[in-house]
Every structure is written in C-alpha cells, then in structure tokens.
Amino acid sequence: MVVFEALNALQGDCLLLRLGQRDGEDKIWMIDGGPGAGPALGGDDAPKEVARVTPIPDVVLPHLEAVRRVPPPHVISLGVCTHIDDDHIEGMRRLVRRMAALTPNPSDQIIFRRFWFNSLSAVLAGSDGGALAPQSLGRTIADAFRATGRIAAGGVAQAIGGAPAPRGTPQAVAQSINQGIDLESDLRTAKLAGNLPFGGPVTADGRPLRIDGAVVTLLGPRPERLARLRAEWQAALEKPTAASRDGAVGRLAARVIRPDTSYPNLSSIVMLVEVDGRRLLLTGDALGDDVVEAWRDDLGKGAAVCPVDVLKLPHHGSIRNVSKAFLATFPADHYVFSGNGAHDNPDAATIEMVVESAQGAGREITLHFTNAGIVWKAPQTVKKTGATAESLDAYLAALKTAYPTGWAEKFRDENACAVSIPLPPKAGTPAVADIAPVAVPPAEAEPKKPRPGKKTAPSDAANPATPKKPRTRKKAPPA
C-alpha cells in the first residue's frame, strides 16, 4: 500500500509518500518542506490575530512521530526539494542544516538517506563546471538588484540573510536563491550532494528509476529548458562591464517575481510515481503545459492519456499554471490543493476547471484541500452560473449548484496535520515506461531502535560518515 499525505505547509508544499514494504517497515519520501513559518491562513498581510505556524516543529515532526509510532530521528529514504521558492525550500533547508550541523553524528530530527535538489549554481554550471562559485552567485544577484535600483543599498543584507522578505519583492528573489545556496552547502556537509543516481541536475531524461519498490519517471524540468536558462545566465555573467553584467543578471533574476515564467517554477522537479498499480503525479510549481510537453515529446507518448490516482495541482492551484490540456492529459481520481489563501491560492478558476474537466469525461473525483476557512481578496465567480463568493467554502457550495454530481470535497481536519489518501494495491495497471527501470541501489538501512532499558553503542547505519574500526586480535602475553 502507498499512502499520500499533504501536510499543512501553510501557503507551501510538504508532501509525504509512505511506501509499504514486505518487511512491514514503510519507506518514507518527503517532497518539499514548506516555509519557515507564517500565518495559518492568508499571506504576509494576514491580521495579527491569525495564529502563526512553524511547519517543521508544529506539523512535520509530530506527524512523523504519530504515523511511525517511534520518537525521532525519523529516517526519510528520499528527500526532494522541487525548487528554490521559500514556501518549498525553507523547511528542507532547516532539516538538512540540522543534519549537517550534527555530522558525523546522526540528526536528532530527520535523517535523509538520499536527496534530490537542483541548485541554481549546479544548473548554471552544467557539465563544464560554470564560471561562478555558489556563494559568489548569490552576492552577484543581490548586487545586481541594488545596482539596477531594485534593492536599496541597505536591503542587500536582507536579501542575503535575516528575516524572510515579502514574497514577490526583489529581496525575496535574492533571498530565495541564497536559501538554495545554503541547502547546497549543507547537503555536501551531510554527504547527500550529487543527486544520485543522476550525478548532476535532476531532469526529465526519460529514464524510469526503481526506488524502494516504486518506479519514478521525471517529467520536469525539461533538459532543453535548463539548457536555454544556462545559456542566458552565462551570457549575462560574461558581460564585459560591471554595469552591463548587473543589468543582465538583475533582469534574469527578476523573472522570479512573475510566478509562471520564473527560473524556480519552470525548473521544478516533477515526479510521476508508480507503485502497487497506483500512479501519483507530483508537480511542484511547474507549468502544466511543460509537463504535458515532457509527456508527449520527451517520453514520446504523443496524444496518449496518463490517468493517475493522485494529482498534486501545480503552484498551489494557480490558474496560471494549469490548462485544459494538462487536466485532459493527466485525469485523476484525487486532486490535491496545497495552500492557505495566500496570493489567492488555490485559484477559484482552477477548481472549476478541474470539476468541469471531470464532468465532461464522466469521471467521479474528490478534491482535497489542506486548509479550510480561506477568504479571497475579491469575490470569485463561478463561470457556469455567474454566482460569486468571497470564501472557498461558499464558492464550493455555489459550484455544487452548477455541477451537482460527480465530485466531492474533503478538507484537512483542523486537528490533523495532513490530508491523507491511502491507496491499496491495484492489479492490472500497465507501467508507463516502455523500457525497464534503472534500479537505484538501496539506501543505508534504518538504525535499529534500542529496546527499553537496553543501552546500545552508536549505530554505523545511523552514522554513515563514521568508518568502522577494524577488529584486531589481542596478542597472548609472553609465556
């Protein structure tokens, strides 16, 4: 059995896959870690009385302890940070930083066995090593913003570190890139760098991978998109003067402000996971049409449809990242919206598009929301009837009038940490891949839990960086 869970990551994403194993121990994958902290509902402009949540200590760690029924550290077989936006990367950055800080001893929170992450510097370096060190890259971007007037001189420090900058500002752009630089450095310290088995950026290269009994096919980022991005940045960094370089780098980095054309979103790691006859499509903040093109062109599937059991809507359900072609190519039984109303996500138009698409095909679907009580900044309209509503609850009621059958909605219980979708094994589902998957070597075994009252020596499995000492025989004393 596989259990999909979307944790309460506020406006961000934090997903878990719990993969049942024959020995009875689940393998757990964690995709994104949400933001560092924020209001339970709404964005940075939420009223002060709205409770604040810090996802890692308040949600992630308690949930893992509840489902695993053991205290930390919790072993995560595969960690994935899909891209460098704060609401995906910051939780992961904090967990990996803790792991790196305690190396060579095991973390007291989460121990990752594998990790996939496309840092900006690694993507820009490509196969030839590139021309700019990671730390220099972050400073160059911040300086370029300052030089072009996008960041005041006193704002560079905030761009490089300090309190989270407001989303969509130039400070947030540079800060998010530096979060990626921090994560990249800590992954090296924790001996998790390299994106094994890729040995470089994770891309949709058409190779299905078998990991923990599941098969993963990457549908993003597309190699050709990364190649274009790399060429643009290298051209900017090679400008002959500081002024021209600052201007070119500033213009490229500013694309992050426009969500559907930004480097981070369009370089999101997109995973199609197949296990026990089930399919799950996990999209990060990717552009839906990019995922369709990867399916049709890069995998050579043409107009073939890929039904999935679970579809995590890209970019928290933003209408700018979803299209009719995307929904028609990947019809799902369960649609998951991870958001809390910040930036008006999930978008009302996306919700109606999903319901309309399913009704047109005669399918029964369930919509899952990580947060109830969302209120949009302006009334939203049901296209079919013209009815308007200011809250998500009221909008869904109006949508029921327009589309009375064929769909249901479920919200995360206010006392629960996650939306959970258990998927029992299903026979007869053909594999998506036309070629045999590449078997990824198993991660190191999870450390054994000591029995109550019994002291044990530190486990080398829990501490892969510590070499085993060779055994030596004691010499007998001379006669």
Side-chain angles (χ1 to χ4, degrees), residues 318-333:
S318 170
I319 190 62
R320 289 167 292 187
N321 294 67
V322 177
S323 68
K324 290 183 178 180
F326 172 71
L327 296 176
T329 303
F330 302 102
D333 296 329

Side-chain angles (χ1 to χ4, degrees), residues 292-317:
V292 173
E293 288 179 15
W295 170 259
R296 291 178 176 174
D297 301 336
D298 300 346
L299 267 65
K301 298 297 184 178
V305 172
C306 179
V308 298
D309 295 277
V310 175
L311 171 56
K312 200 287 296 184
L313 270 297
H315 203 185
H316 320 292

Side-chain angles (χ1 to χ4, degrees), residues 69-445:
R69 300 178 184 175
V70 294
H74 305 294
V75 174
I76 303 297
S77 178
L78 174 63
V80 180
C81 183
T82 59
H83 62 296
I84 64 171
D85 272 354
D86 176 79
D87 55 4
H88 295 252
I89 190 176
E90 179 58 17
M92 285 300 214
R93 188 192 69 83
R94 295 184 183 192
L95 289 171
V96 174
R97 170 140 296 184
R98 181 70 176 173
M99 190 173 172
L102 294 177
T103 297
N105 298 309
S107 173
D108 56 358
Q109 295 181 338
I110 281 178
I111 299 172
F112 291 103
R113 294 301 186 200
R114 306 180 187 88
F115 207 97
W116 293 349
F117 170 58
N118 287 341
S119 68
L120 179 58
S121 60
V123 168
L124 298 187
S127 59
D128 58 1
L132 202 62
Q135 297 297 337
S136 299
L137 178 64
R139 177 64 64 178
T140 296
I141 291 169
D143 287 347
F145 272 123
R146 179 186 61 182
T148 55
R150 294 187 176 93
I151 294 180
V156 175
Q158 188 186 19
I160 297 300
R167 183 181 174 90
T169 63
Q171 288 91 340
V173 173
Q175 193 173 60
S176 185
I177 289 173
N178 278 276
Q179 287 171 313
I181 292 170
D182 285 348
L183 178 57
E184 180 182 23
S185 174
D186 290 333
L187 287 170
R188 285 196 298 269
T189 301
K191 304 187 185 306
L192 288 168
N195 287 331
L196 296 178
F198 296 92
V202 178
T203 61
D205 61 2
R207 293 183 301 165
L209 304 173
R210 184 176 295 281
I211 306 175
D212 296 334
V215 175
V216 178
T217 302
L218 277 299
L219 294 177
R222 303 184 68 201
E224 62 182 46
R225 183 176 289 284
L226 293 189
R228 289 199 303 270
L229 176 77
R230 184 179 303 121
E232 290 175 345
W233 276 81
Q234 288 183 341
L237 294 169
E238 292 169 0
K239 292 291 184 182
T241 66
S244 61
R245 184 169 59 252
D246 285 345
V249 169
R251 285 189 294 274
L252 284 173
R255 291 183 183 178
V256 183
I257 298 172
R258 301 195 301 274
D260 48 4
T261 61
S262 70
Y263 149 69
N265 292 348
L266 295 185
S267 64
S268 283
I269 295 174
V270 180
M271 303 167 60
L272 178 63
V273 181
E274 298 176 272
V275 57
D276 290 337
R278 300 292 190 170
R279 291 181 188 154
L280 305 93
L281 182 58
L282 313 178
T283 57
D285 279 0
L287 194 65
D289 285 344
D290 260 18
V291 183
V292 173
E293 288 179 15
W295 170 259
R296 291 178 176 174
D297 301 336
D298 300 346
L299 267 65
K301 298 297 184 178
V305 172
C306 179
V308 298
D309 295 277
V310 175
L311 171 56
K312 200 287 296 184
L313 270 297
H315 203 185
H316 320 292
S318 170
I319 190 62
R320 289 167 292 187
N321 294 67
V322 177
S323 68
K324 290 183 178 180
F326 172 71
L327 296 176
T329 303
F330 302 102
D333 296 329
H334 301 273
Y335 293 86
V336 179
F337 296 82
S338 182
N340 70 345
H343 319 293
D344 280 345
N345 289 329
D347 203 309
T350 301
I351 300 171
E352 182 171 7
M353 186 183 291
V354 168
V355 171
E356 185 180 41
S357 174
Q359 293 237 322
R363 295 184 293 109
E364 299 273 341
I365 64 170
T366 303
L367 312 180
H368 300 264
F369 299 90
T370 56
N371 284 286
I374 290 172
V375 177
W376 291 299
K377 293 179 181 177
Q380 303 295 304
T381 302
V382 177
K383 182 182 67 174
K384 185 175 182 181
T385 62
T388 61
E390 294 184 353
S391 70
L392 175 59
D393 291 351
Y395 185 85
L396 292 173
L399 207 60
K400 273 290 185 185
T401 301
Y403 306 89
T405 61
W407 66 281
E409 75 277 6
K410 289 186 178 181
F411 289 96
R412 175 183 59 83
D413 186 275
E414 62 179 356
N415 296 318
C417 292
V419 165
S420 294
I421 305 174
L423 299 170
K426 180 181 177 182
T429 303
V432 163
D434 297 323
I435 59 176
V438 176
V440 177
E444 297 197 42

Side-chain angles (χ1 to χ4, degrees), residues 15-69:
L15 313 177
L16 295 181
L17 288 186
R18 293 194 278 130
L19 307 171
Q21 305 292 302
R22 291 181 179 179
D23 62 5
E25 290 287 335
D26 287 353
K27 295 290 187 182
I28 301 178
W29 297 358
M30 183 175 177
I31 299 93
D32 291 328
L41 288 174
D44 298 327
D45 56 352
K48 291 183 178 180
E49 60 268 21
V50 174
R52 289 183 66 82
V53 176
T54 305
I56 295 301
D58 296 345
V59 178
V60 177
L61 296 178
H63 181 71
L64 283 170
E65 187 162 348
V67 299
R68 297 187 71 242
R69 300 178 184 175

